[in-house]
Amino acid sequence: MREGPADFPLARRRRRARRRVALPWRALLALLAAGVVVAAVVLLARVADRPDPAVAFAEGQAAVRAGNYSAARNHFLATVAAAPADARAQVALATTYLVLGDGVAAGGALDRAVAAGVPRDRLHASRAAALLLQDDADAALAEARRAPADPAARRVAARALAAQGDRPAALATLAALVRARPADPGAWTDLGRIRLDVGDVGGASEAAVRASTLAPRDLPALTLRGEIVRRRYGLIAAMPWFDAALARDAYYVPALLERAATLGDIGRYVDSLSAARRVLAARPGDARALYLMAVIAARAGDATLAAALLDRTGGAMDGVPGALLLAGAVDFSTGRHEQAVVRWRALLDRQPMNLVARRLLGAALLRSGDATGALAVLRPVALRADADTYTLTLVARAFEARGERGWTAAFIDRAATAPAGAATPFGQDEDAAVLATAMARAPDDPRVAVAAIRGALDRGQAAAALAMADRIVRAAPGAPAAQQLWGDVARATGRAGPALAAYARAADLRFDSPAMLRLVEARAPADRVGAADTLALYLAQNPVATDARRALANVQTAARDDGAIATLEGLRGDLGNRDARLLAQLAHAYVAAGDPAAALPYARAAYRLQPMSAAATDAYGHALFDRGDTPGALQLLRKAAALAPRAAMIRWHLGQALADAGRTAEARAAIMTALADPGFTEREAAGRLLMAIRPA
């Protein structure tokens, strides 16, 4: 039987729903009119959103005058979007891209300007600057030399010469330019930048001051001032200069990068990370921002994230020493020892006197199975009289891996005792003839001169070393390294006063850790207050510096200042509980504060870490003595004195324990030995004890 509509009511309803509904003609006209109105509104809105090219260009010029180049770029982009054939706007856009460091975008804007009718001869300087930003120094120099009379082109030529490695020619070009045009802030900024690159901090500072005075809103000049202030006076002192640049342009990448790096060094990691992210917002994929983020990740203990961030740089930071050090550390921590060797060897090739790099490379070579290579790398450090425990332990392990038990035992013994001598200049393997020949071939190369001077000192030729140092200082009076080297030579030859003056001049030019430590050490014997002031000034600018905090703890402990405990506990929080020297210092600080019960756990932990360390053994014995355990203390203090026979403080601690045990003669001998050391600081207490135990 045939089915009909009555059998499927739902189907019937669907068929009804599909029937067309006829609309009246008036409704159709209304709909058409509404569509026309909507289209008109949309069109009018688009026209209203499109900026007036003249207004946008004027706003861009105003932003340039205010120093806000990021905003100026946006206004000029709006101008050329509305008027692509506006040649003037394309040139202005290219100029802002050059200031912001985007050479590719600047080159594109210059091409469009030429297409719009700008003569190529007017753009040689800008084209050269764009090529230089694209790392093509040769093409940049050739382009700049097509306009020899253009001051802007001469500036680019100087920067290109510096990029090629011919910094003397670059400096000569810029010096001539500022003599001819003393009111050119850009020339002064370029001169200051290259002077800073060659280490002439004094000359760079003078040029940067001139530049920022002539152009107070100039972002490159403000950023350069901040970099120089950071070197001369410290991290915190530099921050206002970077902030001043960013107050004008919140996304100016060079200032953002310097601010991020400075915040990281201060210890403000969250703020540093925020600044680095702003860099990536302004310039996606920026290698230095990724590197700074990798540093923060590594400090937080996340080696995997640090490695991923370094990989994203695409090798752009491979020539930077800090990046090589970090990348090697990440490789080493993740078990890629061969890769760590490659990176640290590259670092050592660039900085052959970097002791940290030598230790790390030696450890990586040893871990990768190359004991002979490790010994070759560590030899210059291990042969020093003041070689550190870690290096000596590495050398002992390398000899052990080679099966040379005699040398293994010798270096284990050295690692267990205090250094046999004071710090000395970095030794030279080359003989006098080799160094003299190198000096004659490259008299202006500071690296060769330093090697020759230190070689002369090693051979006892003090007069020759001082003469060479004099020549370097006369050639570069504004270079802190030259002043520091002269101070090293003067100190090594027994001229303490002139050495102190040289160190002060070096610190005035660059107040970094080496300058601070030299100045503190030179001042301490005759002026402990001055040494403490120097240290306090450095810490005010570098609050998380490990070496400065150690030195402060030493000063506080010697002065019996309870603040030493807080300083050392802060260091322990950063460095952990595997530093025997730090734990020994903490034990002494708690004893000095009258709390031997708190001192004992630290002293015991230090001794367990390094049972053959004189410092750890002395700390343990001193803590036991202060707790009243004289017999236990005597065993440890005798051992410490045997490990470090010339250590005055150990002799003093032993003398106290001997006196308490009634061993008067031995006590007097130990105390007299301590008093014979001119650096011994407990003279008053020792004198009182001597009087108390004098023979009847």
Side-chain angles (χ1 to χ4, degrees):
M1 184 169 66
R2 189 174 181 181
E3 298 171 346
D7 300 306
F8 295 96
L10 293 178
R12 188 170 61 249
R13 283 197 293 270
R14 282 199 297 270
R15 281 198 295 272
R16 286 189 189 129
R18 283 199 299 269
R19 289 176 182 169
R20 293 182 180 178
V21 179
L23 293 175
W25 64 272
R26 287 196 178 105
L28 286 173
L29 288 176
L31 285 174
L32 288 172
V36 170
V37 170
V38 170
V41 169
V42 171
L43 181 61
L44 289 172
R46 288 180 178 175
V47 171
D49 286 342
R50 185 179 301 166
D52 184 318
V55 173
F57 186 77
E59 290 174 341
Q61 288 181 311
V64 167
R65 289 191 296 271
N68 191 345
Y69 287 90
S70 295
R73 174 198 55 203
N74 295 337
H75 288 305
F76 292 141
L77 281 171
T79 305
V80 299
D86 189 334
R88 184 182 56 165
Q90 295 287 3
V91 172
L93 178 60
T95 302
T96 59
Y97 275 130
L98 291 176
V99 175
L100 295 172
D102 192 338
V104 175
L110 291 171
D111 289 339
R112 293 191 296 273
V114 171
V118 178
R120 289 182 179 275
D121 290 346
R122 288 177 48 194
L123 301 176
H124 288 311
S126 297
R127 183 79 67 185
L131 289 167
L132 189 58
L133 285 172
Q134 296 172 55
D135 296 324
D136 193 345
D138 294 339
L141 184 58
E143 185 72 23
R145 284 175 171 169
R146 292 176 182 172
D150 184 353
R154 291 167 65 188
R155 285 176 48 204
V156 180
R159 298 201 302 272
L161 287 167
Q164 291 177 334
D166 191 356
R167 290 190 176 114
L171 290 170
T173 300
L174 289 168
L177 186 57
V178 296
R179 283 196 299 270
R181 296 169 56 85
D184 184 346
W188 283 110
T189 300
D190 290 343
L191 180 60
R193 172 67 61 191
I194 297 175
R195 282 177 173 175
L196 188 64
D197 290 343
V198 300
D200 183 4
V201 180
S205 181
E206 176 188 352
V209 168
R210 292 288 296 272
S212 60
T213 301
L214 290 167
R217 297 176 180 176
D218 185 67
L219 302 185
L222 289 169
T223 305
L224 179 61
R225 284 292 299 274
E227 293 178 60
I228 293 171
V229 167
R230 183 174 58 198
R231 291 198 188 191
R232 293 194 68 173
Y233 306 116
L235 301 171
I236 293 175
M239 290 298 294
W241 292 101
F242 302 137
D243 290 341
L246 294 172
R248 288 162 174 79
D249 185 343
Y251 287 92
Y252 180 59
V253 168
L256 271 175
L257 284 169
E258 297 302 334
R259 188 174 189 273
T262 306
L263 287 167
D265 290 340
I266 291 172
R268 291 168 54 184
Y269 301 125
V270 173
D271 294 334
S272 177
L273 188 60
S274 174
R277 284 172 173 163
R278 284 175 63 190
V279 172
L280 293 176
R283 188 184 294 171
D286 185 89
R288 191 175 170 195
L290 292 168
Y291 162 63
L292 291 173
M293 294 171 74
V295 171
I296 295 171
R299 286 173 174 169
D302 193 338
T304 302
L305 177 58
L309 289 165
L310 286 173
D311 287 342
R312 286 178 59 191
T313 66
M317 300 296 291
D318 286 352
V320 178
L324 285 171
L325 186 67
L326 174 63
V330 170
D331 287 336
F332 191 81
S333 67
T334 54
R336 297 180 292 183
H337 303 126
E338 291 77 10
Q339 291 93 323
V341 166
V342 171
R343 295 185 191 276
W344 285 335
R345 197 180 292 283
L347 174 57
L348 203 60
D349 288 342
R350 290 171 172 80
Q351 299 179 340
M353 287 186 283
N354 187 327
L355 299 186
V356 173
R358 282 191 178 273
R359 295 186 190 102
L360 292 172
L361 178 57
L365 286 166
L366 187 59
R367 186 67 65 89
S368 64
D370 186 0
T372 301
L375 288 173
V377 168
L378 295 170
R379 179 177 179 271
V381 185
L383 292 180
R384 293 168 59 111
D386 64 330
D388 61 284
T389 298
Y390 181 65
T391 299
L392 295 172
T393 302
L394 287 175
V395 170
R397 289 175 181 169
F399 277 121
E400 183 180 22
R402 288 173 30 143
E404 301 181 48
R405 296 185 178 276
W407 285 110
T408 301
F411 277 93
I412 286 176
D413 289 343
R414 278 191 64 194
T417 60
T424 58
F426 197 94
Q428 298 294 330
D429 290 334
E430 294 86 354
D431 61 21
V434 172
L435 292 171
T437 301
M439 187 84 171
R441 289 177 178 173
D444 297 323
D445 189 332
R447 293 171 298 179
V448 174
V450 168
I453 288 170
R454 286 173 170 155
L457 284 175
D458 287 347
R459 295 187 301 274
Q461 298 172 353
L466 198 59
M468 286 187 281
D470 280 336
R471 193 177 81 179
I472 292 176
V473 169
R474 286 195 301 271
Q483 299 289 349
Q484 196 164 279
L485 179 63
W486 196 96
D488 289 345
V489 175
R491 190 175 180 191
T493 54
R495 297 170 171 84
L500 176 58
Y503 290 151
R505 290 192 297 272
D508 182 60
L509 292 168
R510 181 168 184 169
F511 196 38
D512 59 2
S513 177
M516 178 274 296
L517 291 173
R518 280 174 166 84
L519 196 54
V520 167
E521 191 174 352
R523 278 182 172 167
D527 183 11
R528 289 192 174 275
V529 174
D533 289 344
T534 299
L535 191 55
L537 179 61
Y538 184 82
L539 278 167
Q541 293 293 324
N542 306 272
V544 297
T546 299
D547 49 4
R549 290 153 75 195
R550 282 190 187 274
L552 175 63
N554 291 337
V555 171
Q556 290 172 322
T557 301
R560 296 188 177 278
D561 182 350
D562 290 351
I565 294 174
T567 302
L568 290 166
E569 287 287 11
L571 276 169
R572 188 174 69 87
D574 291 345
L575 303 178
N577 294 315
R578 303 294 299 173
D579 189 324
R581 182 175 57 144
L582 174 59
L583 296 174
Q585 282 182 290
L586 258 171
H588 284 304
Y590 275 112
V591 168
D595 192 354
L600 264 176
Y602 293 114
R604 190 179 295 115
Y607 186 71
R608 285 174 179 168
L609 285 170
Q610 291 186 356
M612 295 303 292
S613 162
T617 306
D618 172 60
Y620 195 10
H622 190 39
L624 284 175
F625 173 71
D626 223 55
R627 277 293 301 270
D629 184 0
T630 301
L634 272 175
Q635 294 182 42
L636 290 163
L637 292 171
R638 286 185 188 277
K639 176 182 175 180
L643 291 170
R646 292 189 294 271
M649 288 303 295
I650 292 177
R651 287 287 176 178
W652 164 233
H653 295 155
L654 176 60
Q656 291 175 289
L658 288 167
D660 191 69
R663 301 176 182 273
T664 306
E666 291 180 81
R668 288 180 62 83
I671 295 169
M672 292 300 293
T673 302
L675 286 167
D677 187 332
F680 181 58
T681 58
E682 298 290 334
R683 295 184 175 277
E684 184 177 346
R688 288 198 301 269
L689 184 55
L690 277 178
M691 291 294 293
I693 62 173
R694 69 181 187 276

